[in-house]
Amino acid sequence: MKAAINSRVILKAHIPLETVIPLLTPFVLIVDPASSCNLRCRYCPTGDTKLIRATKRHSGTMSFKIFKKLIDDLMDFPDPVKTLRLYKEGEPLLNSNFAHMVSYAKNSHRVIRIDTTTNGLLLNPKLNLQIIEAGLDRINISVNGINEDQYLHFTKSRVNFDQFVGNVRHLFENRGDCEVYIKGIKECLSPDDQSKFFDIFGNISDLIFLENLSPAWPDFTFNGVEMKFETGNYGQEIHEREVCPNIFYTMVVNSDGSVSLCVGDWPHKLLVGSVINNSLKEIWLGSEINAHRISHLDKKRKDNQFCAVCQVMSHGTLENIDHAADHLLKVLKNQVIKD
């Protein structure tokens, strides 16, 4: 097997967050090219169309006009964004401008690295070459089974599995500088199927891993998939946190241009602004988002009904700034007063 078995999220030697907060420039910018999807996965709220209609959130693709505006807004920040992640709620490749988005962001010189996460079913030789040429640095491909029957069960969708594997192989063989990471869901595969997963994809990826399912979506219950959640996404120990570290270094823009407090905000209950009305910098340093940060540092996270039931911090996050909460609360309050 050519691929290294390793998680896509690894905390190596890095600057502790508590020593750089508050950030004048977000480290990570998450932008959702499409909030709709071509699958109906049992473990994702986007797969429940009735539920999504009830939330009345936008379901569709981001216009290139909005995307161009938010990338142009990055000029206002003192530093480039370390990572632009082109995914959130849906299938990013549903956006016909996806390759153009990558190219525009890359040519702006305001983002250092660009990645995306996709189910990969829309990959084809033409699109593969377009996104590679555009400058995508990493593509994370979510595999939802090792045959068509498993896809039908877990995603309630029919797929041509052999064609899918062939398109992934073409992408890998022509990847250039783009890193290909393939992930499966450990709990959904038997030990024998896990072995087959590595056999099928181990030679057509740079990195490969079996991630754990986790309760990543507050107020959403998996449909017909029973889970105990004994470890976190990446096999790490489950650990409850008082303070969400993500909201201090990550900015999240939805497909309609609205800005959410965090990536887990699938029903858009935690909106803190819109790039249509304000610049990214105004939102990032604004009173609405800072009110949430101060609330977390003040140990009042659970006063917010949505944040109170969020388990992303315990199951999906590796950083921990709880020990520095009192100090950071003073620092952030002083900054708000000065501003």
Side-chain angles (χ1 to χ4, degrees):
M1 185 174 71
K2 297 178 181 178
I5 301 176
N6 223 330
S7 164
R8 58 179 163 160
V9 178
I10 306 170
L11 277 184
K12 298 179 180 179
H14 70 296
I15 300 173
L17 275 177
E18 63 271 19
T19 66
V20 294
I21 294 172
L23 292 170
L24 296 179
T25 305
F27 283 166
V28 178
L29 175 62
I30 295 176
V31 176
D32 197 12
S35 52
S36 54
C37 191
N38 52 336
L39 296 180
R40 298 291 177 263
C41 297
R42 297 177 182 272
Y43 28 75
C44 176
T46 300
D48 189 334
T49 53
K50 184 178 180 181
L51 175 66
I52 296 304
R53 283 197 297 270
T55 67
K56 297 182 180 180
R57 83 171 195 203
H58 177 257
S59 183
T61 59
M62 174 177 282
S63 72
F64 190 76
K65 180 180 179 180
I66 291 177
F67 183 79
K68 182 178 182 296
K69 193 267 182 186
L70 68 89
I71 295 298
D72 292 346
D73 279 353
L74 294 178
M75 294 297 297
D76 296 335
F77 290 109
D79 301 302
V81 170
K82 294 181 183 297
T83 303
L84 170 63
R85 295 203 165 117
L86 293 176
Y87 65 92
K88 183 183 179 240
E89 293 159 0
E91 170 48 51
L93 299 185
L94 282 173
N95 194 313
S96 60
N97 288 314
F98 182 82
H100 195 190
M101 289 175 163
V102 174
S103 178
Y104 190 82
K106 201 75 171 181
N107 291 332
S108 75
H109 303 294
R110 300 304 296 168
V111 297
I112 297 173
R113 184 174 173 83
I114 304 174
D115 67 32
T116 192
T117 295
T118 170
N119 59 46
L121 293 172
L122 296 176
L123 292 173
N124 60 68
K126 180 179 178 180
L127 180 59
N128 292 347
L129 297 179
Q130 286 177 344
I131 62 179
I132 291 167
E133 183 179 355
L136 189 67
D137 293 291
R138 174 189 274 190
I139 183 167
N140 305 311
I141 301 174
S142 302
V143 175
N144 294 283
I146 60 164
N147 55 55
E148 294 177 6
D149 288 340
Q150 289 183 358
Y151 263 84
L152 184 60
H153 173 70
F154 290 115
T155 73
K156 295 183 281 186
S157 306
R158 296 188 181 279
V159 305
N160 185 325
F161 186 73
D162 290 340
Q163 183 180 67
F164 164 61
V165 174
N167 286 329
V168 173
R169 178 177 293 105
H170 177 273
L171 174 74
F172 178 73
E173 292 174 348
N174 295 276
R175 68 194 184 284
D177 295 328
C178 180
E179 186 176 56
V180 178
Y181 171 82
I182 295 182
K183 63 186 179 77
I185 300 174
K186 187 175 183 179
E187 295 92 336
C188 296
L189 298 174
S190 68
D192 184 54
D193 286 342
Q194 291 176 24
S195 179
K196 291 178 181 177
F197 166 79
F198 287 108
D199 288 341
I200 295 169
F201 296 102
N203 287 320
I204 53 174
S205 59
D206 295 298
L207 291 173
I208 191 167
F209 198 70
L210 285 170
E211 295 184 2
N212 297 314
L213 271 179
S214 71
W217 308 108
D219 280 350
F220 173 73
T221 303
F222 290 170
N223 180 10
V225 181
E226 296 294 332
M227 294 294 157
K228 293 183 179 180
F229 306 123
E230 295 177 348
T231 59
N233 270 106
Y234 314 107
Q236 79 274 25
E237 181 180 349
I238 296 173
H239 181 72
E240 180 64 22
R241 291 164 173 76
E242 290 278 356
V243 182
C244 176
N246 300 333
I247 62 178
F248 292 88
Y249 72 92
T250 301
M251 193 170 193
V252 181
V253 184
N254 299 311
S255 60
D256 62 352
S258 61
V259 178
S260 283
L261 177 67
C262 70
V263 71
D265 181 26
W266 64 269
H268 299 185
K269 290 183 177 180
L270 297 175
L271 299 182
V272 293
S274 170
V275 297
I276 296 173
N277 302 319
N278 297 98
S279 71
L280 285 177
K281 183 179 180 180
E282 288 171 336
I283 299 169
W284 177 250
L285 301 177
S287 59
E288 288 191 63
I289 197 168
N290 274 328
H292 286 284
R293 292 168 178 153
I294 289 172
S295 176
H296 277 238
L297 293 171
D298 204 21
K299 307 301 195 313
K300 294 179 180 179
R301 168 175 68 88
K302 293 189 176 180
D303 287 354
N304 183 296
Q305 293 182 349
F306 194 76
C307 290
V309 297
C310 177
Q311 293 178 282
V312 173
M313 289 182 290
S314 56
H315 292 71
T317 300
L318 300 181
E319 295 92 348
N320 192 335
I321 58 173
D322 284 2
H323 62 285
D326 292 340
H327 167 69
L328 292 175
L329 180 61
K330 294 177 182 177
V331 172
L332 193 59
K333 283 185 173 179
N334 285 336
Q335 184 196 54
V336 170
I337 291 173
K338 290 178 182 179
D339 292 343

